[in-house]
Amino acid sequence: MALNKDFLWGGAVAAHQIEGGWQEGGKGISIADVMTAGDNITKKPRRITDGVLPGENYPNHEASDFYHHYKEDIALLAEMGFKCFRTSIAWTRIFPNCDEEQPNEEGLKFYDNVFDECLKYGIEPIVTLSHFEMPYYMAKHYGGFRNRKCIDFFVKFATVCFDRYKDKVKYWMTFNEINNQADPTPHHLVQEGAILAEEGEDLEYVMYQSAHYELVASALAVKAGHEINPNFKIGCMIAMCPVYPYSCKPDDVLAAQRFMQGKYWYTDVHVKGKYPNWLPKKFERKGWNMDITNEDLSILKEGTVDYIAFSYYMSFAVEANEANPYYDYLEKDFVKNPHVKASDWGWQIDATGLRYALNWFSDRFDVPLMIVENGFGAYDKVEADGTIDDSYRIEYLSNHIKAMIDAVDNEGVNLIGYTMWAPIDIVSASTGEMDKRYGFVYVDKNNAGEGTLNRSKKKSFHWYKQVIATNGQNLV
Ligand code: BGP
């Protein structure tokens, strides 16, 4: 058997993409609640509005209504044999604005119910503390993580959760895909740092400064968590899209290496507790006066994570570009990789890249790894008899699981779990669409928000059930 018998098979979602109930149980407005729906066909992007405005379509307000369907949904996960279920705790259910003295009991109770329901079936809850759903109030009134004060708000939120669920949850992660902001577009900054970009700001500087505060907040949370329960496993969460050189031209190879540095330095800080050498050099070159104190540097050292959780969907390729002489990480320098196909959303499909990613982490960091997202967003068709043949999803997942098993079996990668994204159809984070589906379970709701919210099983539901039952041996 390549995989350990305790291997954590499961699936992953995020509160804002599945729960709905945006105003229930005393919940506050999160940054996801002010993001409108986009559309892949017309290429309409999501917009961030100044508060919740009348007449706009905010898909996360209802999402898949897990808030009212969680029992039914968790029963379906149990039917597939899930060993674990990754979700996030919506920060605004616990601290609706971020700066309240006391947490919101009704919000805490909701997650007690969800975790109890999982535990009833022997499903281990795995929890992300912050998954693109920071309080809107924090972004608006404090400037999000560009403000050092927000470290305290996060640590308080984390500590309340650790304390409350210390006997129910063992695996935690702090900030989802903290490194998505490597290319600091306003959209990325809002999702990762809850920063509303201001006119004329140097977004790159703002990103590095606020990412530093987030990393300090994460380290403080790790320390606090270990004090509350020494058995906790608290990880970071990294979006891993390996960057390949477009050719073997030395400058392309260097560009790819520098892009990997630009996208993955966050992992160094989380795991090794220190900045890689190239970063202080960059700050110097830019002439930035960074607020990084000696005390911060000690905190980073003391609050290193127990494991690396990462998402993997696709790989990128880059060509050296004279207009980018320092090889700063900018997504506009990416080129299409002619050797791989792409999804309808242009995400390059590359199972070998997952094996590469596992080896890349394994060579650099001596901590366990967990794949906490991997999946295939696609348009699904419901046949007249109600069945859904999503063989393309099975093909994507089985190729990736095969690559993952090869990395464990052949290269000895220390991998403890795999939670595919996302077992139940939910709102897409990047486009706000319902029709970009990942699930084994279909949710009857479309981009326009129409549908019964009824759940039904796709072909992949039965496939994943036997993948788990055979511990990954039977992938066909
Ligand atoms: C990751 C996010 C998830 C999820 C996933 C798929 O970046 O952590 O929240 O949404 O990507 O992306 P999308 O929903 O845009 O298809």
Side-chain angles (χ1 to χ4, degrees), residues 34 39 68 96 100 116 127 147 175 200 219 272-273 284 345 375 443 450 470 475:
V34 298
D39 188 293
H68 299 107
E100 292 84 350
D116 288 344
V127 172
N147 184 345
F175 291 97
K272 297 179 178 165
E284 209 179 289
W345 280 261
V443 175
E450 303 151 348
T470 60
L475 294 175

Side-chain angles (χ1 to χ4, degrees), residues 17 131-132 176-177 313 347 373 421 428-430 436 438:
Q17 290 171 265
H131 191 137
F132 305 169
N176 183 67
E177 294 189 337
Y313 292 90
W347 291 22
E373 288 186 31
W421 185 268
S428 153
S430 56
K436 187 181 187 188
Y438 286 87

Side-chain angles (χ1 to χ4, degrees), residues 219-430:
L220 285 168
V222 171
K223 279 176 71 174
H226 286 149
E227 275 160 31
I228 290 169
N229 184 344
N231 294 324
F232 276 170
K233 298 289 174 210
I234 311 173
C236 56
M237 200 304 203
I238 304 292
M240 169 46 88
C241 309
V243 185
Y244 302 152
Y246 183 73
S247 76
C248 52
K249 200 164 90 193
D251 284 351
D252 285 355
V253 177
L254 180 63
Q257 183 182 49
R258 293 280 298 120
F259 269 53
M260 291 294 278
Q261 290 177 331
K263 190 145 168 93
Y264 300 109
W265 64 269
Y266 309 77
T267 327
D268 293 87
V269 183
H270 272 306
V271 186
K272 297 179 178 165
K274 64 184 179 84
Y275 277 86
N277 296 333
W278 66 271
L279 256 177
K281 278 283 173 200
K282 172 166 181 151
F283 298 155
E284 209 179 289
R285 160 165 59 90
K286 291 279 187 179
W288 292 334
N289 185 16
M290 303 292 295
D291 176 27
I292 300 179
T293 65
N294 286 336
E295 194 192 343
D296 291 348
L297 296 175
S298 313
I299 292 168
L300 295 176
K301 274 236 165 317
E302 290 158 18
T304 55
V305 295
D306 300 314
Y307 69 102
I308 298 171
F310 71 95
S311 61
Y312 178 82
Y313 292 90
M314 61 190 139
S315 59
F316 294 135
V318 68
E319 224 174 354
N321 174 358
E322 280 171 18
N324 186 0
Y326 297 103
Y327 304 95
D328 286 324
Y329 182 91
L330 294 171
E331 289 178 11
K332 64 179 170 49
D333 285 336
F334 286 144
V335 290
K336 205 173 156 327
N337 180 343
H339 304 288
V340 298
K341 295 201 180 102
S343 77
D344 286 334
W345 280 261
W347 291 22
Q348 299 189 131
I349 303 165
D350 173 18
T352 305
L354 177 56
R355 183 166 169 184
Y356 176 91
L358 284 160
N359 276 289
W360 190 88
F361 279 126
S362 175
D363 283 350
R364 283 168 180 76
F365 305 104
D366 195 17
V367 290
L369 305 177
M370 198 190 301
I371 300 167
V372 291
E373 288 186 31
N374 172 235
F376 192 58
Y379 296 107
D380 290 339
K381 183 164 178 279
V382 185
E383 304 297 340
D385 64 358
T387 57
I388 298 153
D389 181 351
D390 59 342
S391 299
Y392 37 85
R393 182 166 296 112
I394 295 174
E395 185 188 341
Y396 176 99
L397 291 171
S398 72
N399 288 340
H400 284 74
I401 292 172
K402 164 94 177 48
M404 159 186 112
I405 291 176
D406 285 344
V408 173
D409 212 8
N410 192 57
E411 286 100 60
V413 167
N414 180 7
L415 181 71
I416 55 176
Y418 174 85
T419 62
M420 56 74 66
W421 185 268
I424 295 164
D425 290 344
I426 57 179
V427 176
S428 153
S430 56

